[in-house]
Amino acid sequence: MPTYNKLVRDLIPDIITRTGKTCITHKVEGRAYETALRKKLLEEIKEYIQAQTNEQAKEELAAVHDSSTEEIEAIRAQKAEERGRFTRGIVLFEVKE
């Protein structure tokens, strides 16, 4: 069973459930939410640094890769539509098969 203990987008628990798996989550608020957001930002920076292609990098940090404001917004909106935002403070702890 993978253990994550990280802030996830709001729709991720639903997506996991649709694949037939179960997940353990908890909600954070206030200072704990702020800390989780900072930790998530560091994770995203690491993913950007490790990106192997411009397409991967654009998804992580579109502004640096000759992308227009419209393209950045389209990428952000698509991710929000597919996986949700980070507004609910959902921390994914574990996924069970």
Side-chain angles (χ1 to χ4, degrees), residues 13-96:
D14 296 333
I15 292 168
I16 291 169
T17 300
R18 284 195 303 258
T19 66
K21 300 176 183 174
T22 59
C23 59
I24 299 171
T25 64
H26 65 276
K27 184 175 180 176
V28 292
E29 297 175 325
R31 187 62 127 171
Y33 177 63
E34 291 174 15
T35 300
L37 281 172
R38 288 186 178 104
K39 190 174 169 183
K40 184 66 180 176
L41 178 58
L42 288 173
E43 177 187 330
E44 294 299 321
I45 290 168
K46 181 179 177 183
E47 289 174 5
Y48 171 73
I49 290 169
Q50 294 174 345
Q52 299 294 312
T53 67
N54 273 341
E55 287 306 310
Q56 290 171 337
K58 281 182 183 181
E59 188 171 321
E60 299 304 328
L61 188 65
V64 177
H65 295 277
D66 296 322
S67 299
S68 67
T69 303
E70 292 79 16
E71 186 177 3
I72 295 167
E73 177 56 24
I75 291 169
R76 186 208 60 77
Q78 181 179 359
K79 287 180 91 170
E81 175 77 22
E82 293 172 357
R83 299 180 232 162
R85 303 180 194 295
F86 293 98
T87 57
R88 295 184 189 158
I90 299 170
V91 174
L92 175 65
F93 183 70
E94 193 173 71
V95 176
K96 298 179 180 183

